[in-house]
Amino acid sequence: MSRAAVVCGLGAWVPPTVVTNHDLAERLDTTDEWIRTRTGIARRHVIERGQATSDLAVEAGRRALASASDNGTDDDHEVDLVVLATSTPDRPCPGTAPTVAARLGLGAVAAFDVQAVCTGFVYALATAAAMLSAGTARRALVIGADTFSTILDPEDRTTRAIFGDGAGAVVLRSGQAHEPGALLGFDLGSDGTGEDLITVRAGGSRQRSTAEQVHAADHFFTMAGRAVFTQAVLNMSKSAQTLIDRVGWSESGVDRVVAHQANVRILRAVGEQLGLADEQMVIHLDRVGNTVAGSIPLALADAVTAGDLRPGQRVLLTGFGGGLTWGSTALIWPDLTLPAPHAPTLRKEQA
Ligand code: UT7
């Protein structure tokens, strides 16, 4: 029987500080109405000064580990791999995953970052799944965490309206492809000719950090919104369809799509391309915005908590982001509980 990576734990976290559309409208030339109608977002969460991505990653990771031990059928709960998807690491060097592993008390495990912006979580899942299948690791903690509030231009009304901070995580164990929770396959892709569409120009080896660049605001995140919109719909739809065909779900259908939460209009357009009803597209961005690598696991945690994602459903995950990059995976949703304390801000009824 073929070996596969099986999802056995899930956790998520957003920082407590909320920024509503009305808060933004007090400081920038925007309105609640514009943001809601153009993006579907009503609020987002941000970290406070002094906090960093690892703080969110640790909270989400801790919850995913607790979920895995609550749901586990075996005694072996020892994680031997941490993969952190982020494009806002605590520091440009070193990676943040070893810090997260140490703070979670996981010992001398393998730990590294994956940088694929909003597709990061899917790339991190693929990386960890391959390592489990190869026998390089037996149990992995895969986290998506970002704090884009730290790289946005405070004066940019468009990006400030969209992005929020947050983290989500899953635990993967080595198991069999027929088990609920098994990741059934991947489709991954990139197009580096689009590197300028979603970027932070300065602070890398091409444009080093200098006072002039800080003055020119080149260390802030920029996005060519309209072009990215078109590419997001095109590539998530194509990648999702490729994966559906690959795992043989074309006939029997998909129950839920958890797509990268960039814009509600993008989610609806992807659903339309795939011939799915709006209710089949999981939507979480209204309360947290675009949380980059945290977006897919945060949406998963919210849907499970709300009872919208149930054991036995066919779930497709698809992401798109800077690079450009995109990727999809699929699984039959396993019977998972999310142990308390769960991030209270994720619950629909409290939004
Ligand atoms: O996570 C990675 C993937 N990211 C995405 O997928 C994001 C994709 N892009 C989008 O979601 C949308 O393109 C945006 C939400 C970023 C922008 O929406 P849009 O409908 O594409 O608007 P636009 O950029 O074409 O701008 C339309 C107008 C512009 O004004 P003019 O030039 O027509 O006078 C913008 O300046 O809306 C203006 N605008 C705003 N107005 C009020 C842009 N942001 C705002 C704002 N409030 N916050």
Side-chain angles (χ1 to χ4, degrees):
M1 244 179 265
S2 61
R3 226 195 281 186
V6 178
V7 173
C8 63
L10 172 66
W13 183 250
V14 286
T17 305
V18 173
V19 177
T20 65
N21 292 348
H22 295 289
D23 294 333
L24 288 179
E26 276 176 21
R27 279 172 253 147
L28 297 166
D29 181 17
T30 189
T31 61
D32 173 53
E33 210 256 330
W34 191 96
I35 301 172
R36 275 180 199 268
T37 53
R38 303 310 294 164
T39 71
I41 298 164
R43 49 192 258 189
R44 68 284 302 140
H45 293 250
V46 296
I47 57 169
E48 297 290 339
R49 206 167 264 278
Q51 292 181 313
T53 296
S54 65
D55 299 324
L56 305 187
V58 165
E59 291 294 339
R62 186 175 289 133
R63 282 164 177 76
L65 292 169
S67 162
S69 61
D70 278 10
N71 293 298
T73 47
D74 49 4
D75 293 334
D76 182 7
H77 289 142
E78 221 165 277
V79 162
D80 55 1
L81 170 66
V82 175
V83 185
L84 172 66
T86 188
S87 42
T88 46
D90 287 11
R91 308 170 185 187
C93 174
T96 302
T99 305
V100 172
R103 286 179 56 191
L104 287 170
L106 297 177
V109 296
F112 60 93
D113 293 3
V114 164
Q115 218 277 39
V117 202
C118 298
T119 323
F121 188 71
V122 179
Y123 267 79
L125 283 179
T127 306
M131 290 177 73
L132 292 185
S133 293
T136 316
R138 285 180 302 115
R139 202 173 180 90
L141 176 62
V142 180
I143 309 173
D146 269 302
T147 52
F148 262 45
S149 68
T150 62
I151 59 170
L152 298 182
D153 179 346
E155 302 305 322
D156 182 355
R157 62 181 177 175
T158 310
T159 54
R160 291 271 323 266
I162 295 171
F163 291 94
D165 301 339
V170 297
V171 177
L172 298 179
R173 65 173 169 80
S174 185
Q176 306 295 329
H178 64 81
E179 294 182 68
L183 298 173
L184 300 172
F186 286 92
D187 174 68
L188 301 173
S190 77
D191 175 9
T193 65
E195 67 174 341
D196 288 336
L197 297 180
I198 297 174
T199 190
V200 176
R201 284 177 205 285
S205 56
R206 177 77 60 200
Q207 265 183 252
R208 301 171 196 186
S209 293
T210 63
E212 290 110 69
Q213 267 143 7
V214 171
H215 187 66
D218 275 354
H219 59 297
F220 287 134
F221 174 84
T222 62
M223 180 173 70
R226 258 188 214 178
V228 170
F229 189 110
T230 312
Q231 289 294 319
V233 175
L234 182 78
N235 287 299
M236 280 199 281
S237 307
K238 234 162 84 178
S239 176
Q241 190 60 57
T242 301
L243 215 263
I244 289 169
D245 295 342
R246 195 168 291 163
V247 301
W249 283 2
S250 313
E251 305 285 303
S252 32
V254 173
D255 294 308
R256 291 287 179 273
V257 172
V258 182
H260 168 54
Q261 307 279 305
N263 184 320
V264 76
R265 293 186 293 135
I266 293 177
L267 298 180
R268 292 211 182 104
V270 170
E272 211 169 282
Q273 293 285 319
L274 297 173
L276 300 173
D278 280 356
E279 310 80 71
Q280 290 177 275
M281 304 298 294
V282 168
I283 295 188
H284 179 229
L285 82 171
D286 50 325
R287 285 149 290 142
V288 294
N290 178 344
T291 53
V292 192
S295 142
I296 289 177
L298 269 161
L300 282 172
D302 184 61
V304 170
T305 306
D308 186 35
L309 191 53
R310 294 181 293 280
Q313 287 183 321
R314 291 164 188 257
V315 187
L316 191 122
L317 314 183
T318 185
F320 170 84
L324 303 172
T325 54
W326 55 86
S328 305
T329 186
L331 69 162
I332 308 283
W333 193 252
D335 193 2
L336 282 187
T337 51
L338 274 60
H342 185 56
T345 45
L346 292 174
R347 287 177 176 278
K348 278 189 171 146
E349 61 271 23
Q350 293 175 358

